[in-house]
Amino acid sequence: MVNRVLSVTSECFPLIKTGGLADVAGALPIALEEQGFDVRTLLPAFPAVLKTTKSRKTLCKLPDFFGGSAKLMSAKSADGLKLFLLNAPHLYGDEGNPYQDDAGKDRANNHIRFAALSYAAAKLATGALTNWQAEIVHAHDWQAGLTALYLSLESGKKPKTVFTIHNLAFQGLFPPTELAALKIPKACFSRNGIEYWDKISFLKAGIVYSDAVTTVSPSYADEICSDDGGMGFGGLLSHCGDKLSGILNGIDTNIWNPETDGALTRPYSRNKLAGKAKNKRVLQEHFGLKIDSDAPLFCVISRLTEQKGLDLLAAAVPHIIGNGAQLIVLGSGEAKLEKAFITAAGAHSDHVGCFIGYDENLAHQIQGGADVIFIPSRFEPCGLTQLCAMRYGTLPLVARVGGLADTVIDANEMALQLGLGTGLQFSPVTEHALKSAIDRTLRLWNDKKTWRKLQKNAMNLDVSWRGPAASYAALYRRIAAK
Ligand code: ADP
């Protein structure tokens, strides 16, 4: 029976996080451990990781490791994750964002930094660095994309490999002149290998060399096989056949629990929803909005990027406030989007609030107090904020794409007849369709009984990692048996 899994990732909540990848890498191993697996996570020892881990022990020294000396360490996170840390100060010693410098530019040696992570993973997984040998290696996104390639170069007994694409937009493209620095034989730079339009693609390496490829929802798995959604990889992915599958993400339902959430002024449950009204009032106060329990309070918690469709939302602000609704935006990203929401908040301070930045605590308070969360993404591999929102009785208004299409049940006429619906979907992703969905939301809001029913439906869903972890377990067993 397969048991030992090495998860390879560049970020992992709560140690270091820039997006949903960290949430998955932090929560999936714990859910798999509950199903009997022994899961270790290999992660670069960024300064933030060194500050927040305990029981660190050096396992072995790597004196000549991609241009400097490094150490492999074991450690534990506060919530019990079993970690291997690749401590290489010459690669990971800078504070701040793991991929970009303070000016927001990709770090110049990212290819070396993340090749080193995969290289260490391959050595570790075969037992070359410690006596722990993996049966499955699960690598996440382009940053760990070379893992299966390096494993293919090892001799002896090798683990099976899974590569998960969290976002196809990030492809890890670098010039072929770097092959030698990456310790990759020239022969791998071919159409059947890692060559992608005359560049090296770490993402392609993950797809080509792994035994199984997953992405984070069934709909996104379909979308990325098309010309439109494939971002240049549609042909390759559509030829993967049943090697490619979509497994939805879950969320950590201990961290996201409205009954016990310390960030909320008034915890609440699906049977005692009244507490949510108090959190809404506190949120309106916090952002200086008009205190009004009758005004539907919309929110956004997101990276502010083109992908997330928030330019459409910015254009719909007059429509939202013209209907007496309110909007709170938490996020950071593209300058023009930040400016659009700051300007809207300045011009309509009674109805629009905005915080530019990243704030985990505030994200919880907003989920606890808002009535609706907007996710008008142009594409969305899975999306996590709609799962958190449903658990908090905050209805998601989402574009019908990727994981949003797979997780939110649209409260259309027929669904309502059956007492179903957990939110609203719209399509195509245009300003017009978004505005119609806002109008539909406002009509539902005015029918308090139906609204309450939708909230309860949403809060009744199991959005935990239990189901997804069972699907990964089944996949591990399937490929191990091959
Ligand atoms: P992505 O990974 O594309 O950014 P996801 O919805 O998959 O989007 O995951 C985003 C995660 O980051 C969620 O847990 C969300 O709550 C969180 N998040 C995004 N922006 C912020 C922010 N500004 N402050 C706090 N949390 C945020």
Side-chain angles (χ1 to χ4, degrees):
M1 189 84 143
V2 57
N3 180 251
R4 290 183 305 279
V5 179
L6 178 67
S7 171
V8 189
T9 180
S10 55
E11 50 183 284
C12 182
F13 183 84
L15 308 170
I16 182 145
K17 166 170 168 175
T18 71
L21 165 61
D23 291 318
V24 176
L28 177 58
I30 291 173
L32 284 166
E33 288 260 336
E34 280 165 12
Q35 307 209 2
F37 287 85
D38 170 14
V39 188
R40 318 277 169 113
T41 299
L42 174 68
L43 182 74
F46 297 116
V49 173
L50 288 172
K51 269 180 217 146
T52 45
T53 46
K54 49 185 191 175
S55 322
R56 281 195 304 277
K57 267 199 278 206
T58 298
L59 298 174
C60 68
K61 294 194 170 161
L62 307 164
D64 182 17
F65 190 75
F66 289 90
S69 68
K71 284 188 284 198
L72 184 73
M73 309 175 86
S74 63
K76 274 206 164 161
S77 72
D79 49 358
L81 272 182
K82 296 184 277 189
L83 301 167
F84 288 120
L85 302 182
L86 181 58
N87 191 351
H90 63 294
L91 301 174
Y92 312 124
D94 289 335
E95 299 270 353
N97 184 293
Y99 318 118
Q100 295 175 340
D101 61 21
D102 291 342
K105 269 188 70 182
D106 287 347
R107 297 185 194 275
N109 61 343
N110 270 350
H111 56 305
I112 304 288
R113 297 169 75 230
F114 295 108
L117 176 68
S118 291
Y119 190 85
K123 296 282 176 202
L124 178 58
T126 50
L129 302 183
T130 67
N131 52 13
W132 189 86
Q133 200 166 351
E135 289 157 292
I136 298 285
V137 176
H138 189 161
H140 296 274
D141 267 352
W142 75 265
Q143 295 89 334
L146 295 182
T147 306
L149 185 161
Y150 287 131
L151 270 170
S152 76
L153 305 174
E154 296 288 318
S155 51
K157 193 165 182 286
K158 292 181 217 177
K160 298 285 180 165
T161 49
V162 179
F163 179 62
T164 295
I165 302 168
H166 295 263
N167 191 335
L168 192 67
F170 305 113
Q171 305 180 341
L173 301 178
F174 302 101
T177 44
E178 296 298 317
L179 276 174
L182 300 176
K183 305 184 198 289
I184 298 177
K186 272 199 185 126
C188 297
F189 189 70
S190 70
R191 277 192 66 178
N192 297 328
I194 58 168
E195 186 267 343
Y196 177 79
W197 296 101
D198 290 333
K199 293 208 163 118
I200 297 169
S201 166
F202 284 27
L203 182 94
K204 188 177 172 197
I207 297 170
V208 171
Y209 288 90
S210 300
D211 295 303
V213 179
T214 69
T215 187
V216 288
S217 68
S219 285
Y220 191 60
D222 287 341
E223 289 167 11
I224 60 178
C225 290
S226 68
D227 285 346
D228 274 356
M231 299 183 161
F233 285 86
L236 177 68
L237 287 162
S238 64
H239 283 97
C240 281
D242 63 4
K243 179 173 152 176
L244 171 68
S245 60
I247 300 177
L248 278 175
N249 286 333
I251 55 170
D252 187 325
T253 47
N254 293 320
I255 295 173
W256 293 100
N257 182 352
E259 294 185 44
T260 56
D261 192 333
L264 303 185
T265 305
R266 181 76 53 85
Y268 59 94
S269 67
R270 58 178 165 250
N271 297 323
K272 287 198 181 137
L273 261 169
K276 192 165 168 66
K278 173 72 182 164
N279 296 310
K280 176 170 175 177
R281 189 189 167 88
V282 171
L283 200 58
Q284 287 172 325
E285 271 167 17
H286 179 87
F287 279 94
L289 305 184
K290 187 170 164 219
I291 308 296
D292 183 354
S293 58
D294 288 335
L297 177 54
F298 291 83
C299 75
V300 170
I301 304 168
S302 181
R303 292 184 290 121
L304 304 181
T305 63
E306 162 90 14
Q307 176 202 333
K308 300 288 179 179
L310 295 168
D311 49 320
L312 305 178
L313 182 64
V317 167
H319 190 73
I320 294 168
I321 58 181
N323 280 290
Q326 300 180 336
L327 173 67
I328 286 173
V329 176
L330 165 63
S332 62
E334 289 167 15
K336 68 173 192 303
L337 286 173
E338 291 186 355
K339 191 165 161 229
F341 290 114
I342 293 170
T343 306
H348 312 283
S349 56
D350 269 8
H351 283 82
V352 183
C354 172
F355 180 82
I356 299 297
Y358 188 91
D359 189 328
E360 205 67 52
N361 207 49
L362 188 55
H364 282 247
Q365 288 164 346
I366 294 175
Q367 292 281 19
D371 299 305
V372 179
I373 188 164
F374 277 118
I375 316 174
S377 305
R378 293 194 162 83
F379 69 93
E380 192 61 71
C382 178
L384 296 173
T385 46
Q386 82 279 14
L387 303 180
C388 305
M390 290 192 286
R391 188 146 163 82
Y392 281 62
T394 302
L395 301 188
L397 193 172
V398 305
R400 190 179 301 126
V401 296
L404 300 173
D406 292 345
T407 54
V408 175
I409 302 171
D410 182 63
N412 64 33
E413 293 290 330
M414 295 299 135
L416 289 171
Q417 266 189 38
L418 293 172
L420 301 176
T422 62
L424 294 99
Q425 297 187 350
F426 70 95
S427 178
V429 188
T430 60
E431 191 185 321
H432 177 77
L434 174 62
K435 282 184 182 159
S436 315
I438 292 170
D439 293 342
R440 199 151 64 88
T441 309
L442 295 172
R443 286 197 294 277
L444 286 170
W445 172 255
N446 288 327
D447 175 355
K448 287 287 168 261
K449 206 168 143 220
T450 301
W451 191 268
R452 192 54 43 98
K453 172 75 180 139
L454 297 177
Q455 283 181 301
K456 288 196 174 178
N457 288 349
M459 294 176 89
N460 271 333
L461 290 174
D462 180 2
V463 289
S464 76
W465 271 102
R466 252 187 312 276
S471 300
Y472 280 110
L475 174 68
Y476 296 163
R477 289 185 188 117
R478 205 160 55 240
I479 57 171
K482 270 191 185 162

